[in-house]
């Protein structure tokens, strides 16, 4: 047996062990649980608000119930079918709550270890900087998926308890079965999770620039808010298509018949570009960083 063959399996098992350890540490933190709790509460609040507003039988959204505004996308359909609460909750959390949670976890990935004095210990173990960085990013991506699914499952549960379920009417006016609607809800949740990989890479890069977890988290969330503001300024429309948040709500096109793929593909391509650029920048910075803590 060659030396490479002898070393390969332990290296692979060490990688899985490191990833498992990172996942356990991340999802056992009270901060992570609090973030997931807040995300799960948003669909509950939206569902109760719609239920109260439509308690007299008037529809939600424009022209009904004195709501004074349409609210998030799909909210006018929630009273007809509780499954629409999934789409409404994702549309309500995606602009701020979901990316903020991702920014907190990603910003703390490396800087948090440095501030707590455990980063040098991790690098003394046979992890290597590249493997540790990839493990951290994989953990943040796992949180992206879990956070999105928490919102979707909470919304589905509340929607089933407060509103009727059945066949869905798409944005195009066609009707699809409830089973097909559940499939599209899962696909939309996966697209929303994929829409956050750019924020995850940005947060990881910021995390390599400082040894303060709080500073990294605050900077990541600040950048997120800044990008959101810039995306709303008409005079800066020329750069809007290059902002990671510009195509976030394109997931609504999955509720058309047939599905409009143009902006969905642009969104996923843009997220992949941000992941490649800021992921590479994070690796370059972390590989050359002088670890003192």
């Amino acid at each position: 047996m060659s030396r490479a063959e002898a070393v390969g399996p332990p290296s692979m098992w060490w990688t899985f062990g490191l990833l498992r350890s990172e996942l356990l540490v991340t999802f056992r933190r009270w901060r992570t649980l609090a973030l997931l709790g807040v995300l799960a509460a948003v669909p509950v609040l939206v569902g109760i608000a719609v239920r109260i507003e439509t308690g007299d039988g008037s529809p939600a959204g424009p022209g009904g119930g004195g709501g004074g505004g349409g609210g998030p996308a799909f909210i006018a359909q929630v009273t007809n079918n509780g499954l629409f609460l999934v789409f409404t909750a994702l549309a309500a959390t995606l602009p701020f709550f979901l990316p903020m949670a991702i920014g907190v976890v990603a910003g703390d990935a490396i800087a948090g270890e440095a501030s707590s004095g455990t980063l040098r210990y991790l690098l003394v173990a046979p992890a290597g900087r590249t493997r540790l960085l990839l493990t951290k990013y994989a953990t943040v991506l796992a949180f992206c998926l879990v956070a999105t699914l928490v919102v979707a499952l909470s919304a589905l549960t509340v929607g089933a308890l407060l509103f009727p379920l059945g066949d869905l009417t798409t944005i195009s006016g066609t009707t699809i079965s409830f089973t097909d609607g559940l499939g599209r809800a899962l696909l939309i949740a996966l697209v929303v999770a994929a829409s956050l990989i750019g924020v995850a890479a940005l947060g990881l890069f910021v995390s390599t620039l400082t040894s303060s977890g709080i500073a990294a988290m605050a900077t990541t969330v600040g950048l997120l808010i800044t990008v959101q503001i810039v995306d709303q300024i008409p005079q800066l429309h020329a750069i809007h298509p290059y902002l990671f948040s510009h195509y976030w709500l394109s997931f609504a096109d999955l509720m058309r018949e047939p599905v409009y793929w143009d902006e969905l593909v642009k969104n996923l391509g843009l997220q992949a570009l941000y992941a490649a650029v800021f992921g590479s920048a994070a690796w370059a910075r972390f590989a050359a960083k002088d670890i003192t803590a």
Side-chain angles (χ1 to χ4, degrees):
M1 179 183 296
S2 68
R3 185 166 180 245
E5 290 175 333
V7 174
S11 176
M12 179 185 67
W13 287 115
W14 170 258
T15 300
F16 285 130
L18 181 62
L19 178 59
R20 177 179 177 273
S21 175
E22 285 297 327
L23 290 172
L24 289 175
V25 169
T26 298
F27 285 98
R28 284 177 176 175
R29 285 176 177 156
W30 68 266
R31 180 177 60 234
T32 303
L33 297 176
L35 290 172
L36 293 176
V38 171
L39 290 173
V42 173
V44 177
L45 296 176
V46 173
I48 292 176
V50 173
R51 183 67 177 178
I52 293 175
E53 182 183 2
T54 59
D56 58 355
S58 58
F74 306 112
I75 197 168
Q77 301 293 330
V78 172
T79 53
N80 299 324
N81 196 316
L83 189 54
F84 275 101
L85 186 60
V86 176
F87 314 134
T88 301
L90 290 173
T93 55
L94 184 54
F96 182 71
F97 292 103
L98 272 171
M100 182 195 68
I102 304 306
V104 169
V105 174
D108 189 57
I110 299 296
E113 299 285 3
S115 62
S116 62
T118 56
L119 186 55
R120 292 184 66 183
Y121 169 77
L122 287 173
L123 294 177
V124 168
R129 298 195 182 201
T130 299
R131 187 176 302 168
L132 178 61
L133 192 67
L134 288 175
T135 301
K136 290 289 187 179
Y137 189 52
T139 302
V140 178
L141 293 184
F143 180 78
C144 292
L145 180 60
V146 170
T148 304
L149 291 178
V150 163
V151 174
L153 290 175
S154 175
L156 181 61
T157 303
V158 175
L161 291 175
L162 298 182
F163 307 102
L165 297 176
D167 295 344
L168 279 77
T169 301
T170 67
I171 296 176
S172 303
T174 59
T175 301
I176 59 177
S177 67
F178 178 71
T179 302
D180 192 5
L182 277 177
R184 296 205 186 194
L186 176 59
L187 182 57
I188 285 175
L190 294 177
V191 169
V192 170
S195 299
L196 298 169
I197 65 176
V199 173
L202 174 62
L204 191 66
F205 170 63
V206 173
S207 188
T208 64
L209 299 177
T210 177
S211 297
S212 171
I214 295 178
M217 289 185 285
T219 301
T220 304
V221 174
L223 289 173
L224 167 67
I225 296 173
T226 301
V227 169
Q228 294 276 44
I229 293 174
V230 171
D231 200 23
Q232 300 301 316
I233 300 177
Q235 291 80 1
L236 300 177
H237 64 90
I239 66 173
H240 288 173
Y242 304 101
L243 301 176
F244 57 75
S245 63
H246 186 66
Y247 297 108
W248 272 352
L249 296 182
S250 62
F251 73 81
D253 289 339
L254 289 171
M255 283 303 296
R256 300 184 186 274
E257 192 67 35
V259 174
Y260 291 177
W261 293 103
D262 185 41
E263 291 197 350
L264 284 166
V265 171
K266 288 181 179 178
N267 176 43
L268 296 179
L270 189 62
Q271 301 309 319
L273 178 62
Y274 269 85
V277 171
F278 286 102
S280 299
W283 174 81
R285 168 60 180 168
F286 189 54
K289 185 176 183 179
D290 184 18
I291 306 298
T292 58

